[in-house]
Amino acid sequence: EVGRSQLKIEQERLYQRASQDYEEREPARRRSIRLFNGHSEALYAQPGRLVIEVTHAGFKFEVEIERAKSSGIGNMKIFCYDLTLAQIWAARPASPGFLAHDSLIFDGVDERQVAAAIQRAAQVAVTDEFQYICTINSDAVPYDEFAKTFSFDDHVRLRLTDETPEGCLLGMRF
């Protein structure tokens, strides 16, 4: 009984500290929400919302986007969240300095959103001075969906091919 009572008291203390931390970090929280919402708005007519709450179980992060049951939209929720974190980290001195996605992030995503996501990542990476790395098969690049002012090929730094060993990653076929 004493142990359970102590545990409840400690849990309430942790909740109070988390609530206080939540309030003290309001400017950072608002910025994160604003960044995320901007990214989702760049991809969809109905933008998503990042919701950050504190509960007795700890901090809770939720992303609300219409039709979010679709795996493609679920991937774009991850994309927007990752891009938000990359922007926040880019402002810190000890930052990875890059965000990397495999083409799987675009699995099940409409070509228009793929193009919008790639353009958004390129723009944000330049503005906030970090590197966006994305591996994508050349036949999956939505060239026809990019804005006329955006040149995908200007952003390509490395093309890999399995035609010869020289074109493979580290000169080896995996």
Side-chain angles (χ1 to χ4, degrees):
E1 283 295 316
V2 171
R4 276 190 243 173
S5 179
Q6 278 300 114
L7 184 59
K8 286 181 182 179
I9 291 169
E10 186 57 31
Q11 285 176 326
E12 189 58 33
R13 282 189 190 133
L14 286 172
Y15 174 73
Q16 289 173 348
R17 279 192 278 167
S19 295
Q20 181 180 354
D21 186 54
Y22 179 83
E23 293 304 321
E24 289 172 357
R25 294 177 188 254
E26 182 183 6
R29 188 174 72 248
R30 284 181 157 207
R31 179 173 184 253
S32 300
I33 291 169
R34 182 179 46 77
L35 291 172
F36 178 90
N37 294 351
H39 299 322
S40 68
E41 189 171 6
L43 304 181
Y44 297 103
Q46 293 290 325
R49 279 183 348 116
L50 175 62
V51 179
I52 304 171
E53 301 174 322
V54 65
T55 69
H56 279 83
F59 287 97
K60 182 178 177 184
F61 297 83
E62 284 188 350
V63 175
E64 299 171 354
I65 294 182
E66 283 191 28
R67 303 181 321 256
K69 299 290 185 225
S70 156
S71 67
I73 293 176
N75 287 350
M76 289 298 89
K77 287 165 54 172
I78 294 168
F79 174 87
C80 292
Y81 188 80
D82 288 353
L83 197 55
T84 299
L85 289 177
Q87 279 185 280
I88 292 167
W89 290 339
R92 296 182 177 172
S95 164
F98 69 92
L99 170 61
H101 283 139
D102 184 69
S103 60
L104 187 61
I105 196 77
F106 300 124
D107 187 40
V109 178
D110 182 88
E111 284 188 347
R112 291 171 299 192
Q113 276 74 42
V114 172
I118 291 171
Q119 290 175 161
R120 181 69 175 196
Q123 172 202 0
V124 170
V126 168
T127 303
D128 290 314
E129 299 179 346
F130 66 90
Q131 186 176 19
Y132 180 68
I133 302 167
C134 179
T135 61
I136 188 168
N137 290 344
S138 58
D139 61 347
V141 177
Y143 284 102
D144 294 339
E145 299 297 334
F146 290 123
K148 301 295 181 219
T149 57
F150 182 80
S151 172
F152 177 81
D153 291 328
D154 288 349
H155 296 276
V156 174
R157 298 295 173 256
L158 177 64
R159 289 188 191 270
L160 300 176
T161 176
D162 57 3
E163 292 175 4
T164 65
E166 292 78 27
C168 297
L169 184 63
L170 305 175
M172 296 182 278
R173 291 185 186 187
F174 292 92

